[in-house]
Amino acid sequence: MADPSSLPAFSTGGGSPSYRAVVVGATGAVGLAVVRRLLATPRCAAVYALTRRPLEGVGPSPRLHTLPVSLLQRPPGGGGGGGTTNDGAAAAAAGTTEGATAAEFPAADAAFCCVGTTIKAAGSQAAFRAVDHDMAVAFASHFLGTPLPQQTTGSVADGGAPSGTLGPLITTGRRYLGLVSAYGASPSAMGFYSRVKGETEASLSAAAAAVTPVPASMAIYRPPLLLTPGGTRDAGGLGGVNGRPAERAAQAVARFLHAPPMVAVRVEDVAAAMVADAEAVLLGAGGSPPPNTTAGGVLLRTGPAIVATAREASAGNA
């Protein structure tokens, strides 16, 4: 398998600045919606999806590259130090194909962390933490520890495209790290689920702030009840019908009553908000931070802000 960082950038021909994105949790409801959203914007040069099973529900695209999540078992920075993974992340990443581990973690400008499970599905609190915290931390470490992509020059060996036909990659040094968390997340929460989510937020925020010379822009999304297509756990119906009756009933009631964003949001709106925020960081002119930015410089969006951002993005693309 070719080194993903050596793949050419993609351009629709306009030569506008473009960026590369990497997504973990791409077969989940939000993750798959993020992949679809990224492929829908011509500003995204390439999408790297880290998965443990085949990525379905997305049409073929020259910009889409699937990679094994077992890449997170390696030390960040191409295997040469710069941080370490942990046993929990290694256990969570196990079970992928052996030959696929020859690939390197892709260099990217934007990272979307959409991993998530439940204690019931994971089987234990330790297994739940291995996914929702340890895997997320390993993903962020690899993303932040991999050098930024460089502009492709000259002819493309595997495509034969002449130089000058590929859109230039951004060279601002900016990076975006987005995390799908949960409403009520806090390191001091009484409940185990909310506490782990809060600890994950804190770990990734600290890692983003420590990047030099330009700290990465950290964004956290705390959606309330997620409305998934067809009442499924996975977008596109990959996980079959939602097996949790209480959640399925809540989704049905929220749809029927047109619940406000503080109660329920669509996974498509979460994806739209994340991609819009990433592009504002990577391709925008900068300026004052959004009103939802915390004192520590972290962008924090809950239901209403997620939906408002998604609507603004849709209006801007209309």
Side-chain angles (χ1 to χ4, degrees), residues 155-169:
S155 60
V156 180
D158 56 354
S163 60
T165 62
L166 300 175
L169 293 172

Side-chain angles (χ1 to χ4, degrees), residues 45-83:
V47 181
Y48 303 105
L50 273 60
T51 68
R52 281 192 290 175
R53 62 176 185 260
L55 182 62
E56 301 177 8
V58 179
S61 170
R63 291 183 288 161
L64 178 60
H65 313 279
T66 56
L67 298 167
V69 75
S70 57
L71 291 178
L72 301 183
Q73 293 177 321
R74 295 182 169 194

Side-chain angles (χ1 to χ4, degrees), residues 14 58 77 86 104 122 155 163 177 179 186 209 222 235 240 243 270-272 283 295 299 302 314:
V58 179
N86 49 57
E104 297 293 338
S155 60
S163 60
L177 175 57
L179 170 68
S186 171
R222 294 178 181 171
V270 178
L283 306 176
L299 177 61
T302 54
S314 297

Side-chain angles (χ1 to χ4, degrees), residues 4-30:
S5 64
S6 67
L7 294 172
F10 176 86
S11 172
T12 54
S16 300
S18 57
Y19 62 94
R20 289 170 174 167
V22 58
V23 184
V24 68
T27 56
V30 177

Side-chain angles (χ1 to χ4, degrees), residues 17 28 35 95 106 131 205 208 220 267 313:
V35 170
V131 174
S205 297
I220 296 171
V267 293

